[in-house]
Amino acid sequence: MLTPTLAYLLSVILLCRIAFSQYSSDQCSWKGSGLTHEGHTRDVEQVYLRCSQGSLDWLYPTGAVIVNLRPNTLSPAAARLSVCIKPSRDSHGANIYLDRAGKLRLLLREQDQAQGKVTCFSIQEGSLFIEAIPHRDISKRITSFQYELVTERTGAGAGALTGMEPQALSAPCQPCSDAEVLLAVCTSDFVGRGTIQGVEQEAEQLSVTVAISRLYRQKTQVFVSGGVRVRRWTGRVRMPRQCGVRPGPGKGDGDFLFTGSVRFGEAWMGCAPRYKDFLRLYQEAEQSGTNPCHVDTD
């Protein structure tokens, strides 16, 4: 029988462990070990991640982990968010499901994760339920992936994208509307005027070499400068392989306005209208006072 003092100490330790667990999991990334579940192989741990991007590493998976991915601010736009996850190529030891109101839908099997493909789903489809696969041996296993929260294009759902274009949460290569073009200029990770110099087909996507004559913005170094005296930038941007793109002539009507996002360290093409078409849209929006932001088009 526990003495009152021992019982009190145990209750304090338990409260501290609960508080630490809640604090340590309410962040961008989570790293845990199934070894803490020793003797309790059916334990289910709740994890709360509240960032736009991060990672999860679960060593020696045992039992299950429920991962609740939420934006760090609440707004009506949060309902249109989608989650994209990219497993590590050496990720194994568990199956990944979507859990919505207690109903599970298989998202990634253990063997699927070794391909390292990006999988996207709507944030409204539920939380991630990661269930360990029982193993008799004690070899080291780790379930690991990166995640990012992305905004769906207006009027489009995440659908059943797997392994291809994490930036395009709609039909591949679908042209952007006028409103989407203007918004993309304000919100994209990179915006630049230029031409397509070359196209290479990879396993499941196209790698497009782009030459930029005017760089409006880039959050990461997608395009590299040709030098102080050369006002020209070059870089590679990925697209779905279904998109039929060809190198442009590089003059006049061959110019595009390239916009896009950077996902898991890779640049993906978003809206890319002809520059002359964008200029017309922009000038019309300027006259009507409906431009979401200012761009120096001189």
Side-chain angles (χ1 to χ4, degrees):
M1 178 179 296
L2 295 177
T3 64
T5 302
L6 182 57
Y8 172 76
L9 289 175
L10 288 175
S11 64
V12 171
I13 291 172
L14 178 59
L15 289 173
C16 289
R17 290 183 63 181
I18 293 174
F20 177 77
S21 175
Q22 291 175 341
Y23 174 79
S24 63
S25 63
D26 190 8
Q27 53 189 5
C28 297
S29 300
W30 179 82
K31 186 173 184 178
S33 173
L35 296 180
T36 60
H37 295 170
E38 186 176 359
H40 304 277
T41 58
R42 294 185 179 181
D43 280 359
V44 178
E45 186 166 358
Q46 290 272 359
V47 173
Y48 295 87
L49 301 178
R50 303 180 187 275
C51 291
S52 59
Q53 60 183 23
S55 61
L56 178 141
D57 296 291
W58 191 21
L59 284 70
Y60 300 102
T62 303
V65 173
I66 298 176
V67 183
N68 302 277
L69 296 167
R70 297 291 184 270
N72 54 12
T73 57
L74 294 177
S75 70
R80 296 195 300 272
L81 287 174
S82 287
V83 181
C84 291
I85 64 173
K86 184 177 183 180
S88 168
R89 291 189 179 274
D90 58 0
S91 176
H92 62 290
N95 293 322
I96 302 177
Y97 298 82
L98 277 177
D99 178 6
R100 185 173 185 178
K103 295 183 178 180
L104 298 181
R105 176 170 71 85
L106 182 62
L107 188 68
L108 285 171
R109 297 174 299 172
E110 179 186 33
Q111 54 267 40
D112 297 332
Q113 298 167 44
Q115 301 176 38
K117 294 182 179 180
V118 175
T119 299
C120 300
F121 56 91
S122 171
I123 199 170
Q124 294 181 314
E125 291 187 66
S127 304
L128 290 174
F129 185 89
I130 309 174
E131 184 180 33
I133 299 173
H135 291 273
R136 293 184 177 180
D137 63 273
I138 58 173
S139 59
K140 184 177 181 179
R141 289 175 293 277
I142 179 171
T143 297
S144 175
F145 61 79
Q146 297 173 282
Y147 75 87
E148 291 191 4
L149 302 186
V150 298
T151 304
E152 299 174 9
R153 283 177 55 178
T154 305
L161 294 181
T162 54
M164 293 194 302
E165 60 286 358
Q167 92 300 349
L169 301 177
S170 59
C173 316
Q174 177 180 323
C176 295
S177 66
D178 293 352
E180 287 174 336
V181 169
L182 293 174
L183 187 60
V185 174
C186 304
T187 60
S188 294
D189 292 340
F190 61 86
V191 182
R193 176 182 178 178
T195 58
I196 297 174
Q197 299 294 298
V199 181
E200 296 179 13
Q201 182 167 328
E202 298 181 353
E204 294 182 337
Q205 60 225 4
L206 299 177
S207 178
V208 183
T209 301
V210 172
I212 299 295
S213 57
R214 183 162 189 177
L215 187 61
Y216 295 99
R217 179 174 67 256
Q218 63 172 344
K219 291 184 178 179
T220 59
Q221 199 169 11
V222 176
F223 303 105
V224 180
S225 174
V228 178
R229 297 183 179 180
V230 181
R231 296 186 60 82
R232 189 170 181 267
W233 296 262
T234 58
R236 287 181 176 269
V237 182
R238 298 179 183 275
M239 296 180 67
R241 63 178 178 180
Q242 302 98 310
C243 301
V245 294
R246 298 178 180 177
K251 295 181 180 179
D253 292 346
D255 281 8
F256 291 87
L257 184 77
F258 297 112
T259 70
S261 57
V262 178
R263 301 295 177 212
F264 305 106
E266 297 178 341
W268 285 85
M269 193 79 76
C271 299
R274 291 279 183 180
Y275 185 77
K276 64 174 184 178
D277 295 331
F278 157 72
L279 199 57
R280 173 182 54 80
L281 288 176
Y282 182 81
Q283 291 171 348
E284 291 175 354
E286 279 278 274
Q287 294 174 1
S288 62
T290 58
N291 257 341
C293 66
H294 174 73
V295 178
D296 187 2
T297 58
D298 296 334

